[in-house]
Amino acid sequence: MRGLKLIERFKGTQVHALNPPDTTVVNSTGSSSTSSKLGNHTVKFIGSKLKSNKACSGSGAKTLLPFGLPRTDLLEPPIEPHLKSIQLVETLSNLYRRFETCSESEKSLVCIEQYSVLSSLGDPKLLRRCLRAARQHAFDLHSKVVLSAWLRYERREDELDGVSPMDCSRFVLECPKAALVSGYDPNSIYDHCKCYQERSEFTQVSKGDEFLALEEDSDICFRVGNEDINCIRFKIAALSTPFKAMLYGSFTESKSYRIDFSQNDISVEGMRGVDLYSRTRRVDSLSPKIVLELLSFANRFCCEDMKSACDIHLASLVSCIEDALDLIEYGLEERANALIASCLQVLLRELPSSLYNPKVMKIFCSVEARERLGSAGHASFLLYYFLSQVAMEDSMVSNATVMLLERLGECATEKWQKALALHQLGCVLLERKEYESAQCCFEAASEAGHVYSLAGMARCRYKQGQQYSAYRLTSSLISEYKAVGWMYQERSLYNVGKDKIADLETATELDPTLPFPYKYRAVSKAEERQTRAAILEIDRIIGFKLVPDCLELRAWFLMAIEDYGSALRDIRALLTLDPSYKLFNEQVRGDILIELLNYKVQLGSQADCWMQLYDRWSSVDDIGSLAVIHQMLVNDPGNSLLRFRQSLLLLRLNCQKAAMRCLRLARNHSSSEHEKLVYEGWILYDIGHREEALARAEKSISIQRSFEAFFLKSYTLADSSLDPESSSYVIQLLLEALRCPSDGLRKGQALNNLGTIYVDCGKLDQAATCYTNALEIKHTRAHQGLARVYYLRNQRKAAYDEMSKLIEKAHNNASAYEKRSEYCDRETAKNDLNMATKLDPLRTYPYRYRAAVLMDDQKETEAVEELSKAIAFKPDLQMLHLRAAFYESMGDMKSALCDCEAALCLEPNHMDTLDLYNRARDRAINPQEM
């Protein structure tokens, strides 16, 4: 299991049955890995053993747990490969100020720094916004090419069938042609994509015009070998200063009619091309081979315009990896900026698959390769930042990853860049068990100002047997800086007994989102034979943060108590999050373990699965629903509707990357065009392209009226402030959706959404009817809408009771407790909100409510502390805004401005925060007016 460092003490007959000894292979990036593909004979052998052992208590669990349960002394949290600021709010505030005050040419790099700081939060939408802003403010070809490819990679366009790497789906910031136009255009984000313009950027010269140009009288002849090429003297002279000096200066050639050019490394065809260019100023009609010859000629004779024309034309010809690999060498040799950029663009837009091409890696990985790119102006921190992130996602221990990170460090010029490169290289070397080298990297990163790298330094010391030294280092961190959760988590590794447990409890108190303390406490309970208590402990984090290794750990515990059905549920959910996940310290493929567990669990038919899905969806059991869908997809892997259902559940569980992968699979498996358009629309909607999503929905409806197309259109339109006319239109769309065939699960959602629109329009009776109809088909969440109707009718007790029904039915009910708090007295509301925080500490409303109550009671310091406690592990826009308002009311303008700037760094266009920021800034400038 990832994070569980199991050693070879578990070796034995059964271990080798699951993991044959000779399984080491080398992958395409140069790293060694362990293959654990069990053959069918092994599965059948273990399966027959499970069947024969059914009568023996505990024997099945022993067979399914060949490595035993994990041990506390082998548990470790990972060192995260991100910049982690110990003063995140202040860092974000500083970044916002710098962005607002720096020159236009510096803005793009500031956005990339924002990206690096926000990466630790793990919010894909925030990161995409940073990349879009960086691309929008990029000036040079190189930066535009890298950032447009990076944006495409983040959308994982490579996973969509039938989509070319050079396609940009009409997004101008990802357009490969727009990236090859230098300069900054502030309105570029609103332009049409150049890929879809009716006319080419370069209009072609007609053959007639070209013929006329060639008919002009010649007055000079260049001899190449035995051939004469007739040219026009003044036009050749106009190509460059050297030619002008040669043909009109004091050189003998100025008096000559015939000039011998045989020794100038140009062919007859090439010289004819020079003549053609001198007359037409075009190279479009020439073959690529001749244009390459002209490019070299232009460099030798300083013909800048000719070089530019050749460069741009050759750049337009690069369309695949083979072209790029062939032409980039010419580009580097001739310093052809556009050609190099075009070749790089193709290589980068083929990521991640191009990582496995050794010819591509040869261009980037070595010191010499970086120097060659650098000499042409195409080796940058930005380029290697992108490449190294892709490589790390693919493999943290490959040789390619190490080399790319080393090149990243060589390109780093600012302190944060050096800290990032060194810290990430330290993380990779730590994974490779090169502890001494990793320690040097972490130490250098900490000297560059990255405090979190000291945790990596302590870990390396611990791995080298210096436990006390590691303990002292982490203790000094806690005493020197304002303590955060990861500091106590790290020190717990080097502590013992009650002090270790105390550190873990403090870590959870400061940052309840850290998985390791829950895992350690759970395994500790399991070691004490309190397996059910261990399950309850790991349930605490799974309830609000779906982490694959926590699901795996719970599956281990469930197998230990022979609850195979629940173990199977967790493993199926885990493989939905990460289909390539391997269990038992990455020794066993998940599908193999599922096949083994199937011998212990009675499986139903596809119809039975639909019934199970209906029940689990209705009880808001999202993990259970994921497991059922995973089982159904084993029998029907091409079912796009089930893939779509997966994505809906994953989005509800805040697993956006996995959700988008499922949406892409749904789109790829679509059997019809109108269905494909709907899934493309949802993909576009989820990455923030609302207008494009709406267009896909409308096109789908024009082909065939369907529930999902109308639902998508209504959902997209409703995601904005609706006026009465717009609300009426959305209602009609939802009614049209309900008239189309669909199942109860989706119709329940449509009825719920329809009820919400009716409530917003003040039509409470119609809303109540919608919610009641939704409840009749077991759409349990409709209790929340019905409660709101009761509340608006001044039936507060009925609203409270309705939410109580949702709490009783829902498996995941933190949001229900939060919502019920609105319909009761202050003390009961406080209890409900405390329960909501206990179940899901990532929900921000409870913190804001408690802070507001404290502020009403004139307990200003306590109110700020309540918000600060949550902001420390979740710097949320609303909480930052509220704390800024508190600071303003307290007269602390400096702190108010800091919080506003941090909030605006997360969402630059948040109007309420902008108003508060401007007001606080005015008061800070004119304190006498306070």
Side-chain angles (χ1 to χ4, degrees):
M1 186 168 64
R2 297 172 188 181
L4 302 183
K5 309 296 184 181
L6 298 176
I7 56 176
E8 295 184 353
R9 68 184 183 85
F10 297 115
K11 283 187 176 179
T13 306
Q14 190 59 53
V15 175
H16 291 160
L18 281 173
N19 183 31
D22 187 18
T23 56
T24 300
V25 297
V26 177
N27 66 24
S28 56
T29 55
S31 64
S32 62
S33 61
T34 302
S35 172
S36 59
K37 298 180 179 178
L38 293 177
N40 289 332
H41 65 282
T42 310
V43 175
K44 290 176 181 176
F45 168 75
I46 298 177
S48 62
K49 187 173 180 180
L50 286 169
K51 286 181 178 178
S52 65
N53 285 336
K54 279 186 178 181
C56 304
S57 176
S59 58
K62 290 177 181 177
T63 306
L64 285 166
L65 290 170
F67 299 94
L69 286 169
R71 283 176 20 194
T72 51
D73 59 331
L74 301 174
L75 287 170
E76 286 181 11
I79 300 294
E80 296 179 27
H82 308 296
L83 291 181
K84 285 174 74 79
S85 173
I86 58 172
Q87 294 181 313
L88 183 57
V89 172
E90 290 78 2
T91 301
L92 295 177
S93 169
N94 179 52
L95 283 168
Y96 178 77
R97 284 198 308 275
R98 283 170 51 203
F99 180 84
E100 291 297 309
T101 57
C102 69
S103 66
E104 199 58 55
S105 61
E106 296 173 311
K107 287 187 183 295
S108 184
L109 193 57
V110 174
C111 292
I112 293 301
E113 187 176 354
Q114 286 180 352
Y115 178 94
S116 69
V117 171
L118 293 172
S119 291
S120 63
L121 301 182
D123 186 336
K125 289 185 177 180
L126 271 181
L127 299 180
R128 185 166 181 79
R129 185 184 298 140
C130 292
L131 289 178
R132 282 174 60 83
R135 168 63 183 87
Q136 186 182 353
H137 291 282
F139 267 84
D140 58 290
L141 295 188
H142 176 77
S143 297
K144 288 184 173 184
V145 160
V146 174
L147 288 164
S148 63
W150 200 338
L151 280 165
R152 183 185 184 278
Y153 173 77
E154 288 294 323
R155 288 198 295 120
R156 296 299 194 273
E157 282 283 288
D158 58 290
E159 295 181 9
L160 292 179
D161 292 345
V163 177
S164 163
M166 301 306 286
D167 186 23
C168 58
S169 302
R170 296 181 182 265
F171 303 142
V172 67
L173 294 182
E174 298 176 34
C175 173
K177 291 187 178 180
L180 292 175
V181 178
S182 61
Y184 168 65
D185 179 3
N187 297 315
S188 63
I189 193 170
Y190 306 109
D191 288 348
H192 294 293
C193 171
K194 295 183 183 295
C195 294
Y196 291 86
Q197 289 180 349
E198 291 183 2
R199 298 183 63 190
S200 170
E201 185 178 349
F202 307 107
T203 55
Q204 299 292 317
V205 175
S206 71
K207 290 291 181 183
D209 291 340
E210 188 175 299
F211 178 77
L212 289 173
L214 292 173
E215 284 296 296
E216 291 186 57
D217 291 336
S218 304
D219 57 359
I220 192 171
C221 170
F222 286 89
R223 188 169 190 82
V224 178
N226 297 321
E227 299 253 1
D228 287 341
I229 296 91
N230 295 320
C231 303
I232 301 173
R233 181 181 292 270
F234 84 89
K235 291 199 173 185
I236 295 293
L239 293 179
S240 70
T241 301
F243 270 122
K244 184 178 180 180
M246 181 178 75
L247 298 177
Y248 286 105
S250 56
F251 294 97
T252 57
E253 285 85 355
S254 64
K255 309 294 184 185
S256 304
Y257 169 74
R258 179 177 285 105
I259 300 172
D260 190 357
F261 248 48
S262 299
Q263 304 302 314
N264 283 287
D265 292 328
I266 189 156
S267 67
V268 172
E269 293 79 6
M271 198 62 212
R272 288 197 178 109
V274 172
D275 174 46
L276 178 64
Y277 176 79
S278 73
R279 296 168 187 256
T280 65
R281 296 283 162 164
R282 311 291 307 179
V283 295
D284 308 70
S285 61
L286 301 174
S287 70
K289 180 181 177 182
I290 298 302
V291 178
L292 283 169
E293 197 171 350
L294 261 61
L295 177 65
S296 179
F297 180 89
N299 258 336
R300 289 199 304 277
F301 289 94
C302 305
C303 306
E304 293 303 323
D305 289 345
M306 184 194 292
K307 177 180 178 180
S308 178
C310 294
D311 190 12
I312 291 171
H313 179 67
L314 289 169
S316 70
L317 301 179
V318 185
S319 60
C320 63
I321 278 197
E322 290 71 23
D323 293 341
L325 290 173
D326 287 340
L327 291 172
I328 196 169
E329 293 300 325
Y330 290 103
L332 288 168
E333 186 174 338
E334 303 297 342
R335 302 292 191 272
N337 186 42
L339 177 57
I340 299 169
S342 185
C343 293
L344 282 178
Q345 177 163 251
V346 170
L347 300 179
L348 295 176
R349 291 176 80 92
E350 290 277 359
L351 288 169
S353 61
S354 54
L355 271 180
Y356 304 106
N357 187 326
K359 292 181 180 178
V360 174
M361 287 296 98
K362 185 179 178 182
I363 291 171
F364 297 118
C365 285
S366 68
V367 176
E368 295 76 14
R370 182 195 62 77
E371 289 175 348
R372 285 192 74 199
L373 287 171
S375 65
H378 283 276
S380 66
F381 179 85
L382 181 63
L383 170 67
Y384 282 101
Y385 190 11
F386 176 33
L387 287 169
S388 61
Q389 299 319 291
V390 177
M392 288 169 68
E393 282 191 30
D394 179 69
S395 171
M396 280 289 285
V397 295
S398 72
N399 293 333
T401 303
V402 173
M403 287 190 286
L404 288 171
L405 284 169
E406 288 173 343
R407 303 295 82 76
L408 178 68
E410 291 163 3
C411 292
T413 54
E414 299 185 17
K415 283 184 68 175
W416 72 268
Q417 295 175 350
K418 294 175 182 177
L420 176 66
L422 288 163
H423 180 77
Q424 291 191 331
L425 182 56
C427 291
V428 167
L429 294 173
L430 180 62
E431 285 292 310
R432 287 163 62 101
K433 299 181 178 166
E434 298 176 24
Y435 301 127
E436 192 171 340
S437 298
Q439 182 175 333
C440 291
C441 289
F442 286 130
E443 186 172 3
S446 68
E447 290 172 357
H450 189 225
V451 176
Y452 178 61
S453 292
L454 292 172
M457 193 173 162
R459 189 74 62 87
C460 292
R461 289 182 183 179
Y462 173 65
K463 289 292 187 180
Q464 296 174 84
Q466 303 169 35
Q467 182 170 341
Y468 182 62
S469 176
Y471 173 81
R472 288 182 58 190
L473 180 56
T474 49
S475 294
S476 67
L477 268 174
I478 292 169
S479 61
E480 188 173 346
Y481 299 98
K482 183 179 178 181
V484 289
W486 62 260
M487 294 180 183
Y488 283 94
Q489 173 180 270
E490 191 64 28
R491 192 174 71 173
S492 73
L493 289 177
Y494 322 125
N495 225 327
V496 292
K498 292 181 179 179
D499 291 336
K500 178 187 282 282
I501 298 300
D503 276 351
L504 290 169
E505 292 294 344
T506 305
T508 299
E509 183 181 340
L510 292 172
D511 185 353
T513 67
L514 294 172
F516 174 73
Y518 300 94
K519 288 157 58 176
Y520 185 92
R521 289 188 292 262
V523 172
S524 179
K525 286 177 169 56
E527 286 180 338
E528 296 168 2
R529 300 188 181 277
Q530 301 175 36
T531 310
R532 294 189 186 279
I535 293 170
L536 291 175
E537 178 63 34
I538 206 66
D539 280 347
R540 290 174 58 193
I541 189 166
I542 291 175
F544 67 90
K545 186 176 181 179
L546 206 56
V547 184
D549 58 359
C550 289
L551 275 175
E552 181 189 358
L553 187 57
R554 188 168 73 175
W556 286 43
F557 296 149
L558 290 165
M559 282 187 278
I561 63 172
E562 301 187 46
D563 184 354
Y564 301 118
S566 297
L568 187 58
R569 172 205 65 203
D570 282 356
I571 293 168
R572 288 191 182 281
L574 188 161
L575 291 179
T576 303
L577 292 174
D578 183 357
S580 61
Y581 193 94
K582 291 182 180 179
L583 298 95
F584 301 119
N585 199 28
E586 301 192 9
Q587 300 299 303
V588 182
R589 292 204 325 260
D591 59 327
I592 296 295
L593 189 56
I594 285 176
E595 194 168 345
L596 296 177
L597 283 168
N598 284 341
Y599 287 104
K600 304 293 290 183
V601 178
Q602 185 175 356
L603 300 177
S605 64
Q606 199 78 341
D608 293 329
C609 287
W610 272 111
M611 293 301 295
Q612 288 179 38
L613 178 60
Y614 203 92
D615 289 340
R616 293 188 181 185
W617 197 290
S618 299
S619 62
V620 198
D621 179 5
D622 295 334
I623 293 176
S625 298
L626 282 178
V628 174
I629 292 176
H630 185 275
Q631 181 181 343
M632 296 169 77
L633 282 167
V634 171
N635 301 324
D636 189 7
N639 192 317
S640 58
L641 178 62
L642 290 174
R643 296 285 183 189
F644 179 53
R645 292 288 165 75
Q646 273 186 327
S647 72
L648 296 175
L649 289 163
L650 289 165
L651 283 173
R652 207 151 74 188
L653 290 163
N654 200 30
C655 302
Q656 191 183 28
K657 281 195 173 181
M660 296 303 288
R661 175 175 44 78
C662 291
L663 264 179
R664 289 189 289 272
L665 287 171
R667 181 262 188 200
N668 289 345
H669 287 93
S670 298
S671 57
S672 62
E673 182 65 20
H674 76 271
E675 186 183 10
K676 181 184 291 185
L677 286 166
V678 169
Y679 298 139
E680 287 179 357
W682 281 115
I683 291 170
L684 291 165
Y685 175 83
D686 285 331
I687 60 174
H689 295 284
R690 183 174 168 272
E691 294 301 324
E692 290 85 352
L694 193 59
R696 293 291 201 285
E698 290 170 344
K699 187 174 179 181
S700 178
I701 292 170
S702 71
I703 297 172
Q704 180 172 323
R705 297 163 64 85
S706 67
F707 173 90
E708 292 298 348
F710 279 114
F711 189 90
L712 169 61
K713 186 174 181 180
S714 68
Y715 197 93
T716 306
L717 287 172
D719 186 25
S720 60
S721 299
L722 292 176
D723 54 41
E725 185 178 347
S726 301
S727 296
S728 178
Y729 184 48
V730 171
I731 288 170
Q732 293 305 312
L733 289 171
L734 285 169
L735 291 173
E736 287 293 334
L738 289 166
R739 293 187 188 104
C740 298
S742 187
D743 59 74
L745 296 175
R746 293 298 283 157
K747 290 208 170 185
Q749 183 65 61
L751 285 166
N752 195 67
N753 289 9
L754 184 57
T756 301
I757 302 296
Y758 277 134
V759 167
D760 292 341
C761 295
K763 300 177 179 179
L764 300 185
D765 291 341
Q766 292 95 320
T769 301
C770 288
Y771 292 131
T772 302
N773 291 340
L775 288 170
E776 286 176 0
I777 54 176
K778 293 190 175 181
H779 186 76
T780 310
R781 292 178 184 270
H783 282 296
Q784 183 170 317
L786 194 54
R788 188 181 176 201
V789 171
Y790 287 138
Y791 178 73
L792 292 172
R793 288 173 173 172
N794 294 320
Q795 297 173 283
R796 202 167 178 184
K797 176 68 167 59
Y800 182 87
D801 292 341
E802 198 66 33
M803 288 307 302
S804 297
K805 293 177 186 177
L806 177 56
I807 289 170
E808 291 169 8
K809 294 179 182 179
H811 189 271
N812 301 320
N813 54 19
S815 63
Y817 276 107
E818 180 182 298
K819 196 67 181 175
R820 190 176 71 171
S821 69
E822 298 178 21
Y823 310 132
C824 51
D825 59 74
R826 178 182 283 195
E827 194 58 35
T828 308
K830 181 181 176 182
N831 292 335
D832 274 356
L833 291 173
N834 287 341
M835 178 59 74
T837 298
K838 180 180 178 182
L839 295 172
D840 184 356
L842 289 173
R843 302 192 73 84
T844 62
Y845 174 75
Y847 300 100
R848 289 186 280 128
Y849 177 89
R850 288 189 292 263
V853 169
L854 289 166
M855 204 67 178
D856 287 344
D857 294 339
Q858 297 184 338
K859 297 179 179 178
E860 296 174 338
T861 304
E862 292 88 338
V864 169
E865 286 176 354
E866 177 67 26
L867 292 174
S868 300
K869 179 172 61 176
I871 288 171
F873 62 85
K874 185 179 172 67
D876 173 76
L877 171 68
Q878 297 292 343
M879 287 194 291
L880 285 166
H881 174 85
L882 184 58
R883 191 172 72 171
F886 287 176
Y887 279 133
E888 185 202 26
S889 69
M890 296 161 63
D892 186 352
M893 294 303 123
K894 182 180 179 181
S895 298
L897 288 171
C898 181
D899 278 356
C900 284
E901 288 161 349
L904 292 170
C905 189
L906 300 175
E907 177 49 79
N909 299 317
H910 191 253
M911 294 309 300
D912 289 343
T913 304
L914 282 168
D915 291 342
L916 176 58
Y917 182 53
N918 291 331
R919 189 169 66 245
R921 190 164 52 181
D922 290 343
R923 292 181 65 183
I925 296 171
N926 304 300
Q928 67 275 9
E929 297 179 9
M930 294 175 59

